[in-house]
Amino acid sequence: MIKKRNPLSYALTGLVCLLMCGGIIAVWAGAPASASVSADPRAVYSGSSETSVALMFNVYSGEEYIPSIIDTLKSEGASATFFIGGCWAEKNADTLRSISDGGFETGSHGYLHRDHSALGYDANLEEMRVADRLISDITGTPVKLFAPPSGAYSSDTLDAAEHMGYVTVLWSKDTIDWRDHDATLITERAVKNVKGGDFILMHPTKETAEALPAVIAGIKAAGLVPSCVSDAL
């Protein structure tokens, strides 16, 4: 059972949401931070597909670049999975609907951009449940995938995700676009030695939107299909 939270806890959560989802700060990480449990097969870093490569966008900000990303994906006949932060969804319901209505897969990125490896089972489950309700209510589709913020997770995270019926998704190729605002570098990191089953991590940034046509072209040049996570699993 989820423990009840006191009023101070809700006030602090609201303040963090304002800071993190109001565009004041954005915290992304460049590498999974859960080596101690990385051997757990419930944490999926790549798929088994020989032909599909997953394009992943983790979303807590950058809503102004999502229309361009959607247009590029559609024009190139590519698919992708958008992992949505719950507090972002609260403020950007129309943009989230445009992602879902465009036929793109959505997953959960938690409610707040918290370190899930530092949360117990109940706190992990609460983060997931709140985000799940928001995302599924807005998109009209059930959430089946969970990408832990910063790639940070523990056995409690995996247990909670399993309880929710989620596949916990990490990545095999990191563009580090949150740090390096260079479209050429983003493209190189995405497509160098790309292979079937790869999960390519990106975020909605200006340079990523600029790089996306070249990323898709590079995947296709390797004889592969830019897809959503479920197709690459």
Side-chain angles (χ1 to χ4, degrees):
M1 180 177 292
I2 301 301
K3 297 178 181 178
K4 293 183 178 180
R5 298 167 65 185
N6 62 41
L8 178 58
S9 174
Y10 282 108
L12 291 174
T13 296
L15 176 59
V16 173
C17 184
L18 174 64
L19 290 173
M20 299 196 70
C21 292
I24 298 174
I25 61 173
V27 179
W28 290 318
S34 306
S36 62
V37 289
S38 61
D40 193 313
R42 293 177 297 173
V44 182
Y45 288 80
S46 61
S48 60
S49 174
E50 296 182 354
T51 57
S52 293
V53 173
L55 300 178
M56 300 168 44
F57 295 92
N58 287 355
V59 184
Y60 268 100
S61 62
E63 55 275 1
E64 64 269 35
Y65 306 116
I66 289 176
S68 173
I69 289 170
I70 289 175
D71 287 346
T72 297
L73 291 169
K74 287 182 175 180
S75 66
E76 296 292 340
S79 191
T81 301
F82 292 79
F83 287 95
I84 305 299
C87 64
W88 180 90
E90 282 184 313
K91 296 176 177 293
N92 297 277
D94 288 344
T95 303
L96 176 52
R97 286 191 195 94
S98 73
I99 293 170
S100 181
D101 291 348
F104 300 105
E105 184 172 60
T106 55
S108 172
H109 202 30
Y111 178 68
L112 293 170
H113 201 284
R114 300 183 70 183
D115 179 357
H116 279 253
S117 68
L119 302 179
Y121 176 82
D122 286 352
N124 267 284
L125 195 57
E126 182 177 21
E127 282 282 308
M128 294 176 192
R129 281 179 168 168
V130 174
D132 188 289
R133 285 194 294 269
L134 284 164
I135 296 166
S136 60
D137 284 352
I138 292 169
T139 65
T141 58
V143 178
K144 298 180 179 179
L145 304 172
F146 172 67
S150 304
Y153 64 91
S154 67
S155 58
D156 281 334
T157 311
L158 297 175
D159 289 344
E162 188 172 42
H163 177 84
M164 294 291 294
Y166 295 160
V167 175
T168 299
V169 179
L170 283 300
W171 61 86
S172 59
K173 298 180 77 64
D174 190 358
T175 61
I176 322 180
D177 55 354
W178 59 271
R179 185 190 72 190
D180 298 328
H181 301 286
D182 182 323
T184 300
L185 187 57
I186 291 166
T187 302
E188 180 182 352
R189 287 172 176 161
V191 304
K192 184 177 180 180
N193 299 321
V194 67
K195 61 185 182 300
D198 270 334
F199 294 172
I200 301 175
L201 175 61
M202 294 176 283
H203 301 83
T205 72
K206 176 177 180 291
E207 293 78 15
T208 299
E210 293 171 354
L212 189 56
V215 171
I216 293 172
I219 292 170
K220 290 180 177 179
L224 301 167
V225 180
S227 305
C228 63
V229 168
S230 291
D231 287 344
L233 282 172

